Each structure stands twice: as structure tokens, then as C-alpha cells.
Amino acid sequence: MSGAWGVAAAIIGSILGALALLGSGLFAARATKAAARTTAEAQRATAQAAAEPAQRQADLTAFKEIRDEMKAKIERQDQRIDKLGGLVLAYSWTVDKLIHRMRDRGISPDPGDIHERVREHMRTGT
């Protein structure tokens, strides 16, 4: 009987060994999945951290382009305002000369010919 028990013990031992091997394989597979997930998350975080300075540089470049465009636009508007201010002064000078010439000849301008804003300016200087 001891021979039969020896064979049975060997078979049971083999089965237990196979189950232990299967269990350790499943444990290793779960650990490998967890490690792969952790590695993927770390790689994503690393890629994001590496991309951040590049994104900041791109944002800075875009900001500088917008700033330069705005500066150029403001400069063009300043030049336009200066030209229009000069044109208004030239018209004012011309109208003043014409009014003096009319007065020298005894012709006074009709009050209705003078715009209300011009009259206000003549009264207040602003």
C-alpha cells in the first residue's frame, strides 16, 4: 500500500505544484498589468512636463506677435490722428483767413453758416 500512497502523493503534489504555479502566474500577470499602467501614467506625465516649456514658448511667441501687431496698429493710428489734427488746423487757418478777408470787404458770415461745435470752440477754446 505504501507504493500506491507514494503515487497518490506524487500526483497530489504535482497538482498542488501546478496550482501554485498557476496562482503565481496570475499574480505575476496582475503585477505586470499594474506596472504597465503605472509606467504608462509616468510616461504621460513625463511627456506632459516635457511639452509644457514648449507650450509656454509657443504662447510667448504668439503673445509677442500680437503685441507687435498692436504696437504697429497704434503707431498707424497715432500717425493718422496727427495727420487729421494737422488737417483740422489747416482748415481752421484757411477759414480764419477767409473770414478776415470777408470782414475786410464788409461781408460778415451768416450765423447759420457756422456749425454749433465751431461756435462752442470759438467761445471756450476747447
Side-chain angles (χ1 to χ4, degrees), residues 16-95:
L16 288 176
L19 288 175
L21 185 61
L22 181 62
S24 66
L26 290 174
F27 178 76
R30 287 178 61 194
T32 302
K33 279 185 178 178
R37 245 190 325 263
T38 302
T39 301
E41 289 174 15
Q43 287 174 341
R44 260 195 308 275
T46 301
Q48 192 174 18
E52 192 169 315
Q55 182 61 45
R56 285 187 180 186
Q57 184 60 42
D59 291 346
L60 180 61
T61 301
F63 173 76
K64 286 181 179 179
E65 288 176 9
I66 292 168
R67 181 198 62 196
D68 292 344
E69 288 174 14
M70 293 303 295
K71 270 185 173 179
K73 185 175 182 179
I74 290 169
E75 287 174 6
R76 286 191 306 271
Q77 287 177 344
D78 285 347
Q79 290 172 353
R80 185 169 182 239
I81 289 169
D82 289 345
K83 285 180 183 179
L84 289 173
L87 183 61
V88 168
L89 288 174
Y91 269 103
S92 176
W93 182 84
T94 301
V95 169

